[in-house]
Amino acid sequence: MVKTNLLHTINSPEALRLLNQEDLPLLARELRHFIIHMVATKEGHLGASLGVVELTIALHYVFNTPIDTLIWDVGHQAYGHKILTGRREQFHTNRQWGGLSGFPKREESRYDAFGVGHASTSISAALGMAIASQLKGEDQHHIAVIGDASIASGLAFEGLNHAGVTDANLLVVLNDNAIGIDPSVGALKQYLTNVKKGTQKQDNIFEALNFNYSGPVDGHDLTAIITELQRLKTIKGPKFLHVITTKGKGLKQAEEDQVKYHAPGKFNAITGELNPKSTLDQPPKYQDVFGYTLVELARQNKTIVGITPAMPTGSSLKYMMAEIPDRAFDVGIAEQHAVTLAAGMATQGLTPFCNIYSTFLQRAYDQVIHDVALQKLPVIFCLDRAGLVGEDGATHHGAFDLAYLRCIPNLIIFAPRNEIELRNIMYTSQLGLNGPIAIRYPRGRGVTIDWKQPFTTIEIGTGIPLKQGKHVAILSIGSIAKNVSEAIQYLDVSHYDMRFAKPLDHNLLHLIFNTYHTIITIEDGTINGGFGSAVLEFASEHHYTNTIKRLGIPDAFIEQGSVGELQASIGLDPEQLQRYFKSLI
């Protein structure tokens, strides 16, 4: 008799390990079906998790999780892991307000050995756990599953380099599908491609680092993977298993268009076709304004180059890569390299636009200080996904950039309130600055349908009045101005777009402080050390005693949910802002 609905009998890996091995292919089909149907209606990351269904089952079948620790790098691929580790019934809440995180998270489950939202951390973390096991005299296995895009990062190589001189019980599983979010790039990708083809002539790079290497293994052949994992369990010291998978496996469209189906939005689970997009005339995404504007500027200014660490589609640098490929660079998951590469280019008279998500620039903080700002090099940082980004949650919010950049000398910090301001600051920056500038803007759509206006120059360090009123003065920076404008539509208050967190517009601030008793600052960044703190410092320095209220992201990590839900949860939505402003009038 054929068993059906196996998946609904599996509420833990312990239950999975009770199955006969011949039943596992059926479980794989059911798990893949479950992921497809859930993501089709709830949205999320699709292709990566479909590609590792068999690998996920095999790892939990062979190893004694959670005693044996399993780390997924970067976490896009962990949906099957979550479903098999007791979260199947809650999985419909994935990435939603109050629901499951879209990434493995230690607070959420004892099976999530390490929180992973940023790439390339798994080998170092798993090695740390393996060394700890040794020191405590415990016999555990520690497994890091890392993609071929993530393993090209410097941090991953630092972990491999250290692991190779230990006898730690570490297994690195390379999930090689030749793609991260966009196709993998670089010499390591070419090496792995040659290994798969059997044409690699040089010594094995992983064996050279003292790993016991095995593979490549077909990542969709459960018998082959289980056999190899069981063999590797008997081998001590650092081990490396090279597994070949297909991202999007099991859904034809996801296999054929792996970039689009990484996180496709809602789609038809039966046909795989994406739901039709709205035909309404909508404002553009900030990312596309950046991408198209960069191409427009680069056509006129031959010194302009574009750089992104593995996010050409997300950042829309793809437009320049398509039109002017010799001046647009995807450097892979290598934020530190991206920043210092831009610095090197700037020393030679090029005008680098270095586009990095706000949350990922954190990974290159020393390079921003030491290699760019200290040398006053005119690198133009375009910080995408600034502020609250929504369903990706705490690991991806760009909450800290205003605060962590503001303390760096020689650095200009600008936040456009709309698409036209973004275009104009990009135009102004490439005309020539005496040092670096960081331009931060949010994820998603802006507010201006007719955005492609002629360029005008922005005077550095100047704010502008948006609305004049009698009572309080509201000072906003960046796209949060939209919420303020909605909130004060019928209130007799003043609203200023300060634009620059550094340098502040001192002339405008003196005028405001001498005119209004109560001043409110608002930003979509952490309230500690950000724009509001800069205004407080100004007031202290000039002995003003006005009442100053600061609004922003509180001193906490904000979880996942829609941007609207998250703003409402911290009082930054238009309705709550209106009530707050009224209370101060």
Side-chain angles (χ1 to χ4, degrees):
M1 181 178 169
V2 178
K3 294 186 179 72
T4 57
N5 219 2
L6 266 184
L7 181 61
H8 283 75
T9 69
I10 307 299
N11 293 309
S12 68
E14 288 85 355
L16 168 66
R17 292 191 278 270
L18 294 175
L19 294 179
N20 293 321
Q21 190 172 323
E22 57 264 28
D23 291 329
L24 298 183
L26 173 60
L27 178 64
R29 288 197 295 276
E30 291 183 11
L31 181 55
R32 196 165 262 122
H33 181 269
F34 185 91
I35 292 170
I36 289 170
H37 279 74
M38 196 60 73
V39 177
T41 56
K42 300 294 183 182
E43 301 190 17
H45 296 103
L46 180 68
S49 286
L50 290 182
V52 294
V53 163
E54 289 83 5
L55 178 60
T56 304
I57 291 170
L59 286 166
H60 282 295
Y61 192 71
V62 172
F63 291 99
N64 185 29
T65 53
I67 304 303
D68 293 335
T69 60
L70 177 57
I71 301 176
W72 294 93
D73 191 333
V74 59
H76 295 139
Q77 54 189 339
Y79 286 7
H81 160 82
K82 290 199 170 204
I83 292 160
L84 293 175
T85 54
R87 287 167 276 183
R88 184 187 67 251
E89 294 302 317
Q90 295 83 43
F91 197 72
H92 66 281
T93 70
N94 186 49
R95 302 175 80 244
Q96 295 181 20
W97 173 249
L100 297 178
S101 168
F103 301 94
K105 183 178 178 183
R106 280 169 56 82
E107 292 170 35
E108 191 177 287
S109 171
R110 65 196 181 108
Y111 293 97
D112 292 359
F114 201 72
V116 282
H118 293 184
S120 316
T121 58
S122 60
I123 297 173
S124 296
L127 178 60
M129 294 173 187
I131 291 172
S133 288
Q134 276 187 322
L135 293 173
K136 293 191 290 183
E138 296 168 349
D139 185 20
Q140 291 171 263
H141 296 275
H142 303 275
I143 306 105
V145 183
I146 185 166
D148 56 284
S150 296
I151 204 169
S153 164
L155 177 58
F157 269 88
E158 290 169 31
L160 290 169
N161 185 51
H162 181 195
V165 293
T166 73
D167 58 355
N169 202 5
L170 170 71
L171 170 61
V172 176
V173 178
L174 174 62
N175 172 30
D176 184 0
N177 57 19
I179 189 168
I181 294 175
D182 287 280
S184 302
V185 296
L188 185 64
K189 177 206 176 170
Q190 190 58 54
Y191 168 83
L192 294 172
T193 300
N194 292 347
V195 169
K196 281 181 272 192
K197 291 178 180 174
T199 60
Q200 183 58 38
K201 299 293 191 291
Q202 295 159 301
D203 292 339
N204 185 292
I205 187 173
F206 303 109
E207 288 179 346
L209 289 168
N210 296 329
F211 277 76
N212 185 308
Y213 173 91
S214 58
V217 175
D218 180 353
H220 303 297
D221 183 339
L222 267 162
T223 301
I225 308 171
I226 288 172
T227 301
E228 193 54 32
L229 290 175
Q230 287 172 334
R231 185 186 74 81
L232 289 168
K233 272 183 83 171
T234 67
I235 297 171
K236 297 297 182 188
K239 303 165 286 289
F240 193 100
L241 175 61
H242 187 173
V243 175
I244 309 299
T245 65
T246 300
K247 188 170 181 178
K249 179 74 171 177
L251 186 68
K252 182 169 175 283
Q253 289 88 339
E255 292 183 37
E256 291 174 352
D257 193 339
Q258 296 176 330
V259 173
K260 189 176 288 183
Y261 280 80
H262 171 74
K266 293 182 179 176
F267 62 95
N268 185 310
I270 307 301
T271 67
E273 294 298 325
L274 299 180
N275 287 6
K277 289 206 167 110
S278 169
T279 54
L280 293 172
D281 198 6
Q282 299 182 84
K285 293 179 179 177
Y286 279 95
Q287 292 68 42
D288 287 342
V289 173
F290 161 80
Y292 289 126
T293 301
L294 187 62
V295 171
E296 191 178 341
L297 292 170
R299 283 198 208 105
Q300 302 165 11
N301 181 347
K302 302 304 180 190
T303 71
I304 287 177
V305 289
I307 302 166
T308 181
M311 293 293 168
T313 298
S315 72
S316 292
L317 189 67
K318 64 181 180 181
Y319 300 128
M320 186 173 178
M321 291 175 74
E323 190 156 331
I324 318 174
D326 58 329
R327 286 160 53 198
F329 303 90
D330 174 5
V331 300
I333 300 175
E335 293 87 0
Q336 291 174 290
H337 168 60
V339 171
T340 304
L341 178 75
M345 289 173 164
T347 68
Q348 302 304 304
L350 296 184
T351 306
F353 280 78
C354 187
N355 186 300
I356 302 183
Y357 290 10
S358 168
T359 187
F360 297 149
L361 187 67
Q362 295 162 185
R363 297 160 70 93
Y365 192 54
D366 179 61
Q367 286 67 35
V368 175
I369 296 172
H370 183 272
D371 299 341
V372 177
L374 180 63
Q375 305 186 85
K376 298 183 182 175
L377 293 172
V379 174
I380 302 161
F381 293 107
C382 295
L383 305 191
D384 199 337
R385 270 67 168 178
L388 297 169
V389 298
E391 290 80 1
D392 278 343
T395 57
H396 281 60
H397 296 314
F400 307 111
D401 52 15
L402 289 173
Y404 74 65
L405 293 174
R406 197 171 66 81
C407 61
I408 301 175
N410 303 330
L411 181 65
I412 299 166
I413 306 169
F414 180 92
R417 77 177 182 280
N418 60 30
E419 304 90 321
I420 294 169
E421 291 272 288
L422 173 57
R423 277 171 59 77
N424 286 338
I425 196 64
M426 289 175 68
Y427 170 74
T428 301
S429 299
Q430 56 88 46
L431 292 175
L433 297 171
N434 295 323
I437 183 170
I439 305 165
R440 75 182 303 263
Y441 50 91
R443 174 177 182 255
R445 295 197 181 277
V447 293
T448 314
I449 289 177
D450 187 19
W451 59 276
K452 204 166 185 182
Q453 301 292 324
F455 292 118
T456 59
T457 306
I458 291 175
E459 185 181 348
I460 300 298
T462 59
I464 54 173
L466 299 178
K467 184 176 191 283
Q468 293 296 138
K470 288 183 190 166
H471 300 290
V472 300
I474 302 162
L475 281 52
S476 68
I477 187 163
S479 61
I480 197 72
K482 175 178 182 284
N483 288 16
V484 175
S485 294
E486 287 181 29
I488 65 172
Q489 195 172 357
Y490 304 110
L491 301 181
D492 191 10
V493 298
S494 286
H495 180 197
Y496 295 87
D497 175 16
M498 296 306 293
R499 304 199 296 189
F500 291 88
K502 187 176 186 177
L504 288 172
D505 187 339
H506 281 213
N507 291 334
L508 183 56
L509 284 175
H510 282 300
L511 175 67
I512 292 166
F513 273 82
N514 286 312
T515 306
Y516 301 92
H517 176 266
T518 301
I519 293 154
I520 304 165
T521 68
I522 181 166
E523 59 202 294
D524 61 342
T526 178
I527 205 158
N528 287 357
F531 164 67
S533 295
V535 174
L536 278 178
E537 291 163 17
F538 168 86
S540 174
E541 185 181 339
H542 295 284
H543 310 293
Y544 285 113
T545 57
N546 309 54
T547 298
I548 302 172
K549 304 286 188 181
R550 292 180 302 146
L551 300 177
I553 297 174
D555 185 22
F557 288 104
I558 308 299
E559 300 301 340
Q560 68 281 349
S562 70
V563 172
E565 288 169 330
L566 298 178
Q567 287 180 342
S569 75
I570 56 174
L572 294 185
D573 59 302
E575 293 74 20
Q576 289 184 82
L577 286 177
Q578 185 183 72
R579 286 199 295 273
Y580 182 73
F581 298 151
K582 277 182 176 177
S583 74
L584 294 176
I585 295 175

